[in-house]
Amino acid sequence: MGFSGSWRMFVQALKTSYDHIGKVMLFNLIWFATGFAPILVMTYVPIDSDLFFAICLIGTFITLGGATAAVHYIMRQIIAGEDVAVRDFFAGFKKFFARGSILLFLALAGFTILIFNIWFSGNYPNTVFLVLAGFWVWGIIYWYSMLQFVFPFLTQQNIGVFKTLKRAALITLDNPLASGLLLIMGVVVIVLSAVLAAPLLIFTASFLALLQNYFYNELMLKYDTEESEEVPEVE
């Protein structure tokens, strides 16, 4: 999938968001409330304790993984033209809670390791370490590109954590242009959402879930076609 196909997926995600704007906003709000629930509790409960802060922070990483998987689960159903209700979000949250939380933890761990490697390499004015620093920068770009397919694979194929990571890694390597364009689109949406603030609450997660699932669906068509061509006809 090239530039035109990637742009078509972006426009399709915008169109679907517009056609289902009420559901997009509703489930984004539920995602925000569910995913950031521990942090919200910490904000409104006046408990001055480092332990309480640590528990809420760790709890947010756990709930955010399940909520992100749930919003992908809902957006996949919307793309398929199915009716969705609030109970479907929580059904998805329950179904993918553990795997979604583990995937989010691994994603953050990967970023932490790569950023530490860049910092470590940058502290040594040596050609080898400078080359390694550049390598780690590309590692961050690839890691984030791969993560965009993690939740579509998880929710559409209902597979395990490591199989999800493996397939996301392979589809990114096999489709570098589409993955790179999806990365750029996602970063632009996140930056605009951070600047404007409001979209994060009512739009961003749902739209990114739509966009990533549209890209996933389009790319998977290629593999479905290849598999069908390999199957011999039975006379």
Side-chain angles (χ1 to χ4, degrees), residues 2-21:
F3 289 98
S4 60
S6 298
W7 177 249
R8 180 165 49 85
M9 294 300 100
F10 183 79
V11 172
Q12 186 62 49
L14 284 175
K15 183 178 183 299
T16 303
S17 299
Y18 178 78
D19 292 341
H20 301 274
I21 188 64

Side-chain angles (χ1 to χ4, degrees), residues 47-55:
I47 298 178
D48 188 13
S49 167
D50 292 338
L51 177 61
F52 181 65
F53 173 78
I55 292 172

Side-chain angles (χ1 to χ4, degrees), residues 114-126:
L114 289 167
I115 291 171
F116 173 80
N117 287 337
I118 292 173
W119 172 82
F120 183 83
S121 300
N123 283 335
Y124 289 87
N126 181 289

Side-chain angles (χ1 to χ4, degrees), residues 111-193:
F111 278 122
T112 301
I113 292 170
L114 289 167
I115 291 171
F116 173 80
N117 287 337
I118 292 173
W119 172 82
F120 183 83
S121 300
N123 283 335
Y124 289 87
N126 181 289
T127 303
V128 174
F129 282 105
L130 290 176
V131 171
L132 285 174
F135 175 78
W136 298 128
V137 169
W138 281 108
I140 288 178
I141 294 173
Y142 172 73
W143 184 245
Y144 184 71
S145 298
M146 184 197 81
L147 291 176
Q148 297 176 110
F149 294 105
V150 162
F151 284 104
F153 268 110
L154 174 65
T155 55
Q156 294 211 36
Q157 298 190 6
N158 193 23
I159 51 181
V161 169
F162 292 106
K163 186 172 287 187
T164 296
L165 290 172
K166 176 183 176 181
R167 292 184 180 179
L170 290 175
I171 200 172
T172 303
L173 286 173
D174 197 36
N175 301 275
L177 179 57
S179 300
L181 292 172
L182 177 58
L183 169 67
I184 294 170
M185 293 173 184
V187 169
V188 169
V189 171
I190 292 171
V191 170
L192 288 176
S193 299

Side-chain angles (χ1 to χ4, degrees), residues 73-100:
Y73 178 71
I74 289 293
M75 293 305 128
R76 177 189 65 81
Q77 291 177 295
I78 289 177
I79 291 173
E82 301 175 11
D83 292 329
V84 293
V86 173
R87 64 177 178 274
D88 295 319
F89 180 93
F90 291 104
F93 183 89
K94 180 180 179 182
K95 183 176 183 179
F96 299 108
F97 172 75
R99 285 172 288 174

